[in-house]
Amino acid sequence: MDLGAAIRGKRVFVTGASSGLGAHFARLLARNGASVAVGARRRDRLDALLKEISAIGAGAAMAVDLDVADEGSVAQAWATAEAALGPMDVLVNNAGIAEGSMALDTPPDAFDRVIATNLRGVWLMSTTAAAGWRDAKRGGVIVNIASITAFRVAGGIAAYAASKAAVVRMTEAHALEWARFGIRVNALAPGYIATEINAGFFETEAGQAMIKRIPMRRLGQPEDLDGAFLLLATDASRWMTGATIAVDGGHLVSSL
Ligand SMILES: NC(=O)c1ccc[n+]([C@@H]2O[C@H](COP(=O)([O-])OP(=O)(O)OC[C@H]3O[C@@H](n4cnc5c(N)ncnc54)[C@H](OP(=O)(O)O)[C@@H]3O)[C@@H](O)[C@H]2O)c1
């Protein structure tokens, strides 16, 4: 199956599209003829992305102000996107933050911020989308961006890893409850890719040592996710739900 052709004409909402992987997914979708709604807090970044996408000359695109941790913002952003582009077919829950501190140096409010964005945000976006799809009796597809830290940990990411492990289990729980409505929910668990979330880390000694522990001996590039991402976002995965796919250069199977 041609995965690019399979996404053509679909309407896709991408959260956290103002940088990194979210911006990459939005460009990929637009290049392949999907209509894209991009949401995040930094509006200037989204507007710059929209300019880039229109230069690609692909499907329609729009930007919405979005704080995934805020119920009102989520409801308004989803409604605004659907009013502008039409009913959404796919939700990509990509927005995420990391605190990057050891557990004993992480104050409760930093822990709360990570959980509010990475876990509550996925819950709010997904329940908003799924309620609409159920009421309209049309199916839908959700792709959650988890992380290999859902399965193996490193130092300094306790809150982040806990939030991502919970996203994997939430993916399964939502898949179970919503299959009856024709809604599929799967997750992508990327390994390490240099973006703003880990800026500077891979230039450090610890970062370089980590790259050596990846069996394929390199960081990922956003493009390395494209195949699995499009698989999960399209009907190519029509009999998959509740699954999490790791794309990580083998990092999860690195030698103990
Ligand atoms: N890079 C990696 O190695 C890696 C590996 C595994 C998983 N991931 C996951 O991939 C996803 C994207 O991360 P990235 O690497 O692309 O990092 P990034 O460049 O820092 O992007 C994170 C995005 O999330 C958005 N965001 C943060 N808080 C938000 C909120 N409350 N509401 C709406 N948007 C919010 C940010 O936009 P604003 O600040 O403008 O709101 C930004 O666009 C995250 O879920 C991350 O955990 C990344």
Side-chain angles (χ1 to χ4, degrees):
M1 183 182 278
D2 177 344
L3 293 177
I7 201 72
R8 192 171 306 136
K10 300 288 186 193
R11 302 181 193 93
V12 187
F13 192 117
V14 183
T15 73
S18 58
S19 63
L21 303 183
H24 173 75
F25 294 142
R27 288 188 205 100
L28 171 72
L29 291 161
R31 246 193 343 266
N32 284 288
S35 293
V36 194
V38 291
R41 294 165 305 174
R42 288 170 297 176
R43 188 54 190 253
D44 53 328
R45 297 278 204 106
L46 293 178
D47 289 339
L49 176 66
L50 281 191
K51 276 202 194 118
E52 244 188 87
I53 288 178
S54 59
I56 299 170
M62 65 149 339
V64 286
D65 295 317
L66 172 67
D67 180 349
V68 293
D70 180 279
E71 265 170 273
S73 173
V74 165
Q76 187 169 358
W78 188 259
T80 305
E82 291 209 316
L85 297 180
M88 291 290 137
D89 300 298
V90 183
L91 164 65
V92 181
N93 281 312
N94 166 81
I97 59 169
E99 283 302 318
S101 53
M102 301 301 272
L104 292 181
D105 300 324
T106 304
D109 65 324
F111 175 84
D112 289 348
R113 265 197 307 278
V114 171
I115 298 299
T117 309
N118 298 4
L119 186 58
R120 186 171 199 269
V122 176
W123 178 274
L124 292 177
M125 287 298 310
S126 298
T127 51
T128 299
W133 287 330
R134 176 202 57 194
D135 294 348
K137 296 195 173 11
R138 51 181 292 139
V141 173
I142 297 176
V143 181
N144 292 327
I145 307 303
S147 160
I148 56 168
T149 62
F151 304 106
R152 284 186 68 174
V153 292
I157 54 164
Y160 178 82
S163 74
K164 293 298 185 178
V167 165
V168 168
R169 187 52 49 87
M170 193 194 290
T171 300
E172 296 165 359
H174 286 171
L176 171 65
E177 291 194 13
W178 299 341
R180 72 197 70 175
F181 305 128
I183 299 168
R184 298 188 300 106
V185 189
N186 292 292
L188 181 61
Y192 285 90
I193 297 173
T195 66
E196 288 174 31
I197 210 168
N198 47 38
F201 175 66
F202 294 109
E203 284 81 65
T204 65
E205 211 173 298
Q208 288 293 313
M210 176 177 272
I211 295 172
K212 291 203 182 98
R213 293 197 297 274
I214 300 172
M216 291 177 75
R217 296 285 188 275
R218 69 167 176 88
L219 289 175
Q221 298 295 323
E223 293 73 18
D224 293 326
L225 303 178
D226 292 0
F229 175 78
L230 287 175
L231 168 70
L232 296 182
T234 64
D235 287 348
S237 57
R238 61 188 172 272
W239 207 51
M240 286 176 70
T241 197
T244 298
I245 302 180
V247 181
D248 66 348
H251 209 161
L252 279 178
V253 293
S254 60
S255 184
L256 289 175

